[in-house]
Amino acid sequence: MSNLADRIEEYLKKVIEQTNEGFIVLQRGYLADFFSCAPSQINYVLTTRFTAERGYLVESRRGGGGYLRIVRLGLDPEGKFQRLMAELIGDDLSQERASNLIDRLKEEEIFTQREALLIKTIFSDRLLSGLVNCPSHLRARLMKEILANMCRDDIDA
């Protein structure tokens, strides 16, 4: 049986998939009661599994009328995608964040399974740490370049 965090994640993703709006609004207390856990467990799932790299934006308001809004970020073909990715990536990209982003792009079918595996291998700390002083800078630059080329329409097959 999967652990509690996995079950919470799976539940939230299923609820998001069932909406036409692309987002859900829930109360942290309701989720904690539903899963018989502390609200901090809900926070843990949201902060580790519903990140921008994984394709989600979480808005939260605490207190009596508090809520959680989880928005599934869409990837559009009009160039907003590259701007979003550039903002998301920034000047530094850790191996973990890169891996999450690659998984998301594989989910969106921008990368194939094979491409995702190759890029993750190239981006590994094990490989980059011995080659450059700041692997996170190089990883960010490489990811931006890869994405710019992956999204071009004029690539010859």
Side-chain angles (χ1 to χ4, degrees):
M1 183 172 194
S2 62
N3 69 33
L4 178 60
D6 292 339
R7 291 195 326 262
I8 294 169
E9 176 186 16
E10 184 179 318
Y11 171 79
L12 292 173
K13 285 182 175 181
K14 186 182 291 184
V15 172
I16 292 169
E17 283 178 21
Q18 294 172 349
T19 67
N20 293 330
E21 295 85 20
F23 70 91
I24 57 172
V25 178
L26 300 166
Q27 291 192 319
R28 192 181 335 266
Y30 167 79
L31 285 173
D33 290 343
F34 185 80
F35 287 100
S36 300
C37 67
S40 61
Q41 184 68 39
I42 304 300
N43 291 342
Y44 168 78
V45 172
L46 293 173
T47 57
T48 60
R49 302 187 183 195
F50 289 86
T51 61
E53 294 89 16
R54 291 185 177 200
Y56 297 93
L57 174 66
V58 177
E59 300 170 3
S60 177
R61 182 172 160 215
R62 295 180 187 250
Y67 64 88
L68 296 169
R69 181 179 311 182
I70 305 171
V71 180
R72 174 86 165 134
L73 300 173
L75 301 178
D76 65 4
E78 289 100 37
K80 293 180 189 171
F81 167 76
Q82 283 144 330
R83 285 192 302 278
L84 173 66
M85 289 298 115
E87 289 175 22
L88 237 165
I89 294 167
D91 293 330
D92 291 303
L93 187 61
S94 70
Q95 181 177 343
E96 180 182 359
R97 284 185 55 229
S99 181
N100 290 339
L101 182 55
I102 292 164
D103 289 342
R104 165 75 195 291
L105 295 169
K106 186 179 65 150
E107 239 177 66
E108 295 289 335
E109 298 180 354
I110 291 172
F111 292 157
T112 65
Q113 175 71 28
R114 182 183 202 124
E115 290 165 343
L117 180 61
L118 289 170
I119 295 167
K120 281 183 179 183
T121 301
I122 293 166
F123 283 7
S124 73
D125 282 334
R126 180 179 47 82
L127 179 68
L128 294 180
S129 291
L131 298 175
V132 293
N133 290 336
C134 194
S136 62
H137 288 313
L138 178 59
R139 197 178 290 116
R141 289 182 67 187
L142 288 170
M143 180 61 90
K144 288 176 189 176
E145 192 66 27
I146 288 168
L147 292 174
N149 285 297
M150 290 296 291
C151 295
R152 286 183 34 208
D153 291 333
D154 62 347
I155 295 176
D156 295 325

